Amino acid sequence: MRILGIETSCDETGIAIYDDERGLLANQLYSQIKLHADYGGVVPELASRDHVRKTVPLIQAAMKDAGLNAGDLDGIAYTAGPGLVGALLVGATVGRALAFAWNVPAVPVHHMEGHLLAPMLEDNPPAFPFVALLVSGGHTQLISVTGIGEYTLLGESIDDAAGEAFDKTAKLLGLDYPGGPMLSKLAQQGTEGRFTFPRPMTDRPGLDFSFSGLKTFAANTIHGNGNDDQTRADIARAFEDAVVDTLAIKCKRALEQTGFKRLVMAGGVSANRTLRARLAEMMQKRGGEVFYARPEFCTDNGAMIAYAGMVRLKGGTSGELGITVRPRWPLAELPPVA
Ligand code: KG4
Ligand code: ZN
């Protein structure tokens, strides 16, 4: 089975073709980062327009890379939510129209299920059950996963997502949008322990997160200590250590609560090297295993949508003919796949 995946939920146009026997046949990605950098964040209307410009040419490029023609595909998967409504509508419209023209099923995919399943694209895919830590620009969630579509939300952020906290703190440190990766780079020059940030909500039971206080803490620390290069690096280090520590504490709790031995991390922030190393070390100590995708499959991409679409199509999912997207869409609402 061969599926074309279309991702247009935010600021990257991702197009990929996945073959269940041969693996990934093509993977095209266009990032709009430069377009939004001047504004310090994603401008929805500009994002939609750029997806309109890029989606079809990238599909053509992917088909060429894979050496395929229209008749060679078995389905088209597109991100139907959550995300920016205008951006989602571009992928949904192109996906639906192509599926209609090529007479193959169109499969609406949940963006976070795409992230969650991205580690399955790697050589050592996780088996069920596992705890998933989903950390992206819009979500911070701990989920119990017992099968495809068998998702129970264990905890989530009550305010900013982890990636959002990275980006906002990066902005305070004078870094461009999206500052998460750059803040992490700066943190490598930082002195451990010069500043200590709080570990929000770790002093009480439960698996929810709160990250908005950390950016305020960063703002106050910048205000009180000046803005020279070393201080900025030290603040970046303290911030990153606090986020990583907080995520690790809650992952440990979720593993204890569920009794699961596998931890899957996914979403843009799972590309963070300090977080990957910290959770790998924790899982080794616990006699368990951690799973994550290669960095380019942690952030938004078409491959995870093609893969999730294939799993869903095999499980019998196929949307109605209408073009509907869901800017808000709880992951736990997805039906299980037998
Ligand atoms: O999953 P993603 O590409 O898009 C969403 O679905 O939101 O995640 C993007 C987020 C951004 O906030 C970005 O700053 C963050 O992931 N991110 C990182 C790193 N790479 C991406 N944050 C910290 N360290 C990184 N290495
Ligand atoms: Zn994403």
Side-chain angles (χ1 to χ4, degrees):
M1 182 183 273
R2 247 178 252 128
I3 305 287
L4 174 76
I6 304 174
E7 156 62 34
T8 66
S9 69
C10 189
D11 59 348
E12 358 257 354
T13 316
I15 306 292
I17 299 168
Y18 188 83
D19 180 315
D20 63 351
E21 280 168 16
R22 291 164 60 207
L24 210 54
L25 303 183
N27 184 41
Q28 292 277 337
L29 185 77
Y30 175 78
S31 172
Q32 304 178 348
I33 282 176
K34 282 202 194 82
L35 177 73
H36 302 291
D38 286 349
Y39 304 92
V42 178
V43 183
E45 179 61 17
L46 294 182
S48 310
R49 291 180 191 203
D50 222 41
H51 286 306
V52 169
R53 209 164 58 82
K54 281 289 178 186
T55 303
V56 171
L58 287 184
I59 292 173
Q60 287 169 325
M63 294 293 281
K64 197 163 163 240
D65 285 352
L68 298 180
N69 297 309
D72 300 328
L73 290 171
D74 300 295
I76 298 180
Y78 60 89
T79 305
L84 302 170
V85 66
L88 289 167
L89 276 168
V90 178
T93 308
V94 172
R96 280 259 157 229
L98 269 183
F100 190 69
W102 292 349
N103 199 25
V104 292
V107 191
V109 170
H110 191 294
H111 181 80
M112 298 312 290
E113 181 169 64
H115 277 304
L116 181 91
L117 299 180
M120 308 253 179
L121 290 161
E122 304 300 345
D123 284 342
N124 173 30
F128 302 112
F130 54 77
V131 167
L133 173 69
L134 294 181
V135 271
S136 70
H139 293 78
T140 303
Q141 298 184 325
L142 276 165
I143 294 164
S144 150
V145 181
T146 51
I148 303 283
E150 296 173 30
Y151 308 134
T152 309
L153 183 67
L154 302 173
E156 65 183 335
S157 179
I158 57 168
D159 44 51
D160 292 355
E164 191 180 356
F166 262 96
D167 295 340
K168 286 177 174 171
T169 303
K171 200 171 184 177
L172 293 171
L173 291 167
L175 302 168
D176 281 343
Y177 180 85
M182 278 180 282
L183 185 152
S184 184
K185 221 171 146 203
L186 184 62
Q188 281 168 36
Q189 261 80 60
T191 321
E192 188 184 357
R194 177 170 166 208
F195 301 111
T196 305
F197 279 43
R199 272 62 174 155
M201 293 180 76
T202 54
D203 57 350
R204 68 196 92 158
L207 293 169
D208 285 340
F209 303 91
S210 165
F211 289 112
S212 70
L214 288 181
K215 71 167 186 272
T216 315
F217 201 89
N220 292 338
T221 311
I222 293 166
H223 188 68
N225 292 275
N227 208 6
D228 62 281
D229 286 350
Q230 189 57 50
T231 300
R232 287 171 59 247
D234 295 344
I235 291 170
R237 174 72 188 256
F239 169 83
E240 184 175 66
D241 283 349
V243 174
V244 167
D245 213 27
T246 304
L247 292 172
I249 290 167
K250 295 286 163 105
C251 283
K252 187 164 168 247
R253 266 186 212 172
L255 291 160
E256 278 160 5
Q257 186 176 311
T258 55
F260 297 167
K261 296 224 169 299
R262 296 179 204 92
L263 176 66
V264 167
M265 48 192 294
V269 182
S270 69
N272 184 280
R273 283 161 60 186
T274 311
L275 181 64
R276 288 158 89 106
R278 173 67 189 275
L279 295 182
E281 186 196 316
M282 180 181 92
M283 291 314 285
Q284 204 186 5
K285 273 193 201 144
R286 296 179 61 82
E289 210 178 342
V290 69
F291 300 84
Y292 38 70
R294 69 195 85 167
E296 63 264 42
F297 291 166
C298 290
T299 44
D300 291 349
N301 65 86
M304 67 184 195
I305 302 305
Y307 183 81
M310 187 199 68
V311 171
R312 284 282 163 191
L313 187 59
K314 281 186 173 174
T317 308
S318 169
E320 320 82 60
L321 274 179
I323 296 170
T324 36
V325 295
R326 288 189 63 180
R328 287 173 184 279
W329 188 2
L331 188 62
E333 280 184 16
L334 288 180
V337 160

